[in-house]
Amino acid sequence: MSAHCQLTGTKPGFGNQISHSHRRTRRRFDPNIQSKRYWLPSENRFVRLRLSARAIKTIDVIGVEAAVARIRARGEKI
C-alpha cells in the first residue's frame, strides 16, 4: 500500500540525499505510517486505519467518531 495517511492525507516528500563529497541523489521522506485499530461505537465494530503518528494524536483530541467523519468527507471508504 502507498505511504499515505487516511486522516491528514500526508504523503511522501522528495528531496536529495547529500553525501560527504556533496554528490546529490534523489530520496524519499516517508511519513510515519502506523496501522491502528479503533472501536467505532456508532457502528458497533472495529475499524483499522492507516494513520501517521500526528494523526493518532489528533484522534486522541477530536475522537474517533469525528475522525471517521473527516475521512469519509474526503471520499475514502472505511
Side-chain angles (χ1 to χ4, degrees):
M1 296 204 48
S2 63
H4 87 281
C5 175
Q6 287 182 303
L7 180 60
T8 61
T10 306
K11 293 182 178 177
F14 295 90
N16 287 315
Q17 177 78 39
I18 301 179
S19 71
H20 180 70
S21 63
H22 217 64
R23 291 181 62 100
R24 295 178 175 146
T25 54
R26 297 301 284 176
R27 63 158 292 183
R28 179 175 150 147
F29 294 91
D30 285 328
N32 184 6
I33 299 294
Q34 309 291 325
S35 182
K36 189 127 169 78
R37 189 173 161 234
Y38 287 100
W39 174 252
L40 198 58
S42 64
E43 298 180 15
N44 201 28
R45 69 182 181 109
F46 283 100
V47 290
R48 188 171 297 278
L49 302 174
R50 286 178 50 86
L51 303 167
S52 63
R54 192 178 88 203
I56 291 172
K57 294 174 190 175
T58 302
I59 289 179
D60 289 343
V61 173
I62 67 171
V64 69
E65 295 287 345
V68 167
R70 284 187 192 180
I71 293 169
R72 288 185 174 146
R74 292 180 65 228
E76 287 197 42
K77 185 181 176 191
I78 295 177

